[in-house]
Amino acid sequence: MFGHNRGVRSAEEALTSEFDSPRARLLGLVYRLTGSITDSEEVVRRTQPRSVAPRSHADPSGDAPDEWLCGPPGKLSIERALAGAARREHYVGPWLPEPIVTRQANTRTPDPLETIGRAEDVRMAALRVLQQLTPEQRIALVMHENFEIPFDRIAGLLGCTVTAAGQYASRARRAMNEARPPQRVPAAEQHELIEALLTALAAGDQWRLARLLHPHVSVHGDSDGKARTALRPVYGRDKVTRFLLSMMRKYPSATLLNPRSVLVNGDPGLLLPGVRGDGTSQGAVSARVVGFAVRDGCVAEIHDIVNPDKLTRVSYPHGGV
């Protein structure tokens, strides 16, 4: 997924060709390091990268490092990554990156953040694993393999030896390769699979639903204790089937039949508005973004993001709460 994986490099080349600017590259760096759109935009604002010339593509080798990232932008990015890791120690339940939500069909020119969200290594399944690494491993891997910054410069930023910086990246690369996030499949196939999943959920068809799930499917909920979802990851086809049917019974059938289809970090997803219930906490369901990762023709990962702090940029259909 990293290193010499052509898919990742192609995604990064697409980003720089469409948005060849320090701002776009810095957004991509900070989002990978922190999983936070807020932190990414704040670092860009504070370092004002527009005043710095972007990497030159005139070099036929194409391997010139982003020297400007080793200055204040890089230092502030690392500072945010370390601070974010400290905050997660007190997070309630699993932690997922802040989602980049875009429409399925977007005729307008996307902004840099939307383009970043289409990169192979920024898909939610991959980014979830990346964020589980230690901050030093994540920093060394992303800065070296996505942004071609040499280990001696990374070592200076981390305050470690060059050998240690290389070891951080090597351990991170090994962990990412072992995780093997689901490979991308054609968009039409993904769309058909999610439509079939929603139909099975709306009908309460446990047998049909189970057939659409990968044997090793997992659900990862993110709430920080502020909304209802799984407080721990749910693993396995049987347990996930029961969990989904339990959650979806709380939604009106019309909501399930007319969800808003979106892309969540480039993969298929849904926006589900909140349900107020009967005026009490009973029957109320929080608004959420649900992302899906597909492998072997089945849903392999489900990302249920309900923490309202991570959904401030999302517009829900029908005035969702």
Side-chain angles (χ1 to χ4, degrees):
M1 185 180 63
F2 283 83
H4 299 290
N5 185 307
R6 183 61 193 170
V8 174
R9 183 58 57 84
S10 297
E12 190 62 35
E13 288 172 352
L15 167 63
T16 55
S17 65
E18 289 193 47
F19 299 100
D20 189 8
S21 71
R23 178 177 183 273
R25 295 187 68 74
L26 184 56
L27 277 171
L29 172 68
V30 185
Y31 184 68
R32 287 172 172 88
L33 293 185
T34 67
S36 169
I37 298 173
T38 301
D39 280 344
S40 302
E41 294 178 340
E42 176 65 12
V43 170
V44 168
R45 185 188 66 79
R46 289 182 58 181
T47 57
Q48 297 181 332
R50 296 182 185 86
S51 62
V52 186
R55 181 177 71 172
S56 172
H57 295 283
D59 181 358
S61 69
D63 292 327
D66 275 306
E67 294 290 339
W68 64 276
L69 282 179
C70 299
K75 292 178 181 177
L76 186 55
S77 301
I78 288 176
E79 179 183 303
R80 288 303 175 94
L82 295 173
R87 289 194 301 269
R88 290 177 211 170
E89 294 179 2
H90 306 285
Y91 204 82
V92 179
W95 184 96
L96 290 172
E98 186 176 355
I100 299 176
V101 179
T102 56
R103 294 184 179 181
Q104 293 271 11
N106 195 349
T107 56
R108 66 179 179 81
T109 302
D111 63 30
L113 190 62
E114 291 181 9
T115 303
I116 291 164
R118 298 174 186 172
E120 194 74 13
D121 65 313
V122 181
R123 295 164 58 206
M124 192 63 69
L127 205 59
R128 179 184 63 81
V129 177
L130 180 66
Q131 296 296 319
Q132 292 177 345
L133 303 174
T134 68
E136 294 81 5
Q137 290 173 346
R138 186 164 66 249
I139 290 163
L141 182 68
V142 169
M143 293 191 110
H144 183 68
E145 300 203 0
N146 285 88
F147 295 88
E148 304 173 16
I149 296 174
F151 284 126
D152 60 335
R153 303 302 296 273
I154 296 172
L157 290 168
L158 288 176
C160 65
T161 66
V162 176
T163 299
Q167 290 175 341
Y168 285 141
S170 177
R171 291 168 185 161
R173 187 185 308 111
R174 185 163 55 249
M176 295 299 294
N177 289 338
E178 289 174 354
R180 293 176 184 164
Q183 297 297 310
R184 194 181 296 277
V185 300
E189 181 180 332
Q190 294 183 24
H191 178 73
E192 292 175 1
L193 178 61
I194 303 308
E195 286 289 323
L197 185 78
L198 289 176
T199 300
L201 281 171
D205 191 330
Q206 182 173 344
W207 179 81
R208 189 191 307 177
L209 176 61
R211 289 184 58 196
L212 300 171
L213 300 176
H214 193 276
H216 303 295
V217 63
S218 58
V219 173
H220 304 269
D222 182 322
S223 69
D224 196 19
K226 300 172 183 176
R228 291 186 178 182
T229 185
L231 287 177
R232 290 182 294 274
V234 182
Y235 295 102
R237 178 182 284 161
D238 291 342
K239 290 183 179 179
V240 169
T241 297
R242 292 195 295 270
F243 172 79
L244 292 179
L245 288 172
S246 174
M247 288 295 296
M248 292 301 103
R249 287 192 191 104
K250 299 176 182 179
Y251 274 96
S253 58
T255 302
L256 287 178
L257 292 173
N258 298 285
R260 177 176 292 178
S261 295
V262 294
L263 295 176
V264 179
N265 288 52
D267 277 329
L270 301 170
L271 299 186
L272 293 176
V275 177
R276 294 187 182 278
D278 57 5
T280 69
S281 59
Q282 293 297 112
V285 183
S286 299
R288 61 215 317 123
V289 167
V290 184
F292 302 90
V294 177
R295 181 173 70 231
D296 301 329
C298 299
V299 174
E301 283 194 24
I302 300 174
H303 309 107
D304 185 32
I305 303 173
V306 294
N307 182 349
D309 296 339
K310 295 185 178 180
L311 304 178
T312 58
R313 292 172 171 78
V314 179
S315 297
Y316 287 88
H318 315 305
V321 297

